[in-house]
Amino acid sequence: MSVLVVGSVALDSVRTQSAAHDNLLGGSASYASMAASFFGPVRMVGIVGDDFPRAYMDLFASRGVDTAGLQRAKGKTFAWSGEYEANMNNRRTLSVALNVFETFRPDLPAAWRETEYVLLANIAPALQHHVLDQMRRPKFVVADTMDLWIETTRDDLVRLLGRVDMLILNDGEAKQLTGIDSLPRAAAALRSMGPRWLAIKKGEHGCLLFGEGEFFTVGAYPLEEVKDPTGCGDCFAGGLIGHLAASGTVDAATLRRAVVHGSVIASFNAESFSLKRLEGLSKDDVAARFDAFRRFSRFE
Ligand code: AMP
């Protein structure tokens, strides 16, 4: 089953304490589409400028990501730059240039409107709405977001919650959106705003899954070295929906496995800059780390 992903495609500049790289392939749609591609076909919706390197298009093609919904406009690709503190958890955004995103309208190829699994990766909620408006009868819609949209376009975001099956955000964003410090209480409040399912990410401390009468918790993979965590949230969302689409069902057991698959891809992503680690990854690597997660959390 195909997955439709809409989000940003970016040229990123990333600084850590030990390295700096410019013009990296980034953006929520890039990370999420590459992550989902380990599980099945992906249809990517987004926009790039005329400066977007051919090699990055080739990378999408090499992983079976269909870019028929990726518009190429005159002008520059969306550009983001960020810097990590020594602990690799705290990140400061240094600059954002919307560029071709300023006039972006994510219009879908007609045949893509029937796609059953939809990931509204992190972009402005108005654009996420615009994509949903075009979908016929999706089976499962997942939305991701970030603190910027909670601050600047809260009403659009709240309205979106009534239209999606699952919301993904991190612990800080859950508190910011609800004003509630307790994560279980914040989760109940968020679910009452629309989504039946909710995943709250806690960075290096793993993730919580909430549903009707359902709770599941998974730790993060114990990485000794994090090179670049950029895009881990997007990879989590992509791996999650990729697994759901491949399974073809959305019951509680499948969602638990989906959350673990999201964590698997996110953990690989942190091992290198940009999409470098995912480029060389095999399905066997993914399966082996999935088994490791199972071993690490089993007890009698
Ligand atoms: P994450 O580390 O999961 O928060 O995702 C980082 C990615 O999000 C980077 O590759 C950026 O290009 C992209 N990004 C940063 N800010 C925005 C924004 N305002 N809208 C869409 N994508 C963004």
Side-chain angles (χ1 to χ4, degrees), residues 2-209:
S2 282
V3 171
L4 185 136
V5 176
V6 61
S8 60
V9 177
L11 295 177
D12 285 351
S13 293
V14 178
R15 307 225 167 323
T16 65
Q17 300 297 303
S18 54
H21 295 284
D22 295 321
N23 277 318
L24 297 170
L25 176 58
S28 57
S30 306
Y31 281 108
S33 298
M34 289 286 284
S37 75
F38 288 92
F39 305 92
V42 179
R43 298 166 164 178
M44 185 164 69
V45 179
I47 188 165
V48 295
D50 43 26
D51 57 348
F52 192 70
R54 179 81 243 165
Y56 293 166
M57 295 298 289
D58 294 343
L59 176 61
F60 292 138
S62 75
R63 286 229 46 94
V65 175
D66 188 339
T67 52
L70 184 63
Q71 301 171 24
R72 183 178 275 264
K74 256 177 99 92
K76 285 188 161 180
T77 302
F78 172 74
W80 173 83
S81 83
E83 181 176 42
Y84 289 90
E85 289 177 12
N87 69 15
M88 298 305 277
N89 291 322
N90 300 341
R91 179 173 78 193
R92 210 157 54 89
T93 293
L94 300 174
S95 67
V96 182
L98 288 179
N99 297 334
V100 291
F101 251 98
E102 300 220 31
T103 52
F104 178 45
R105 269 180 67 86
D107 293 323
L108 305 187
W112 288 16
R113 294 170 178 228
E114 315 277 349
T115 315
E116 292 191 330
Y117 291 83
V118 179
L119 173 59
L120 307 172
N122 175 33
I123 41 166
L127 299 177
Q128 296 176 315
H129 276 289
H130 184 67
V131 167
L132 265 192
D133 290 344
Q134 298 167 71
M135 302 307 301
R136 288 257 208 276
R137 255 184 309 125
K139 187 164 171 181
F140 203 78
V141 179
V142 177
D144 192 3
T145 194
M146 73 187 294
D147 51 357
L148 176 70
W149 311 124
I150 300 173
E151 276 160 37
T152 60
T153 56
R154 190 193 173 85
D155 291 351
D156 283 353
L157 178 60
V158 167
R159 203 162 48 80
L160 186 77
L161 297 189
R163 305 184 69 189
V164 304
D165 298 288
M166 182 171 197
L167 174 68
I168 299 176
L169 32 58
N170 68 34
D171 43 5
E173 291 157 355
K175 291 177 186 174
Q176 186 189 1
L177 188 49
T178 59
I180 299 172
D181 278 328
S182 146
L183 288 181
R185 276 186 46 227
L190 288 166
R191 289 187 55 250
S192 75
M193 294 159 84
R196 279 182 299 131
W197 293 97
L198 177 75
I200 300 185
K201 300 168 291 176
K202 300 193 299 169
E204 62 176 336
H205 303 298
C207 167
L208 309 176
L209 172 70

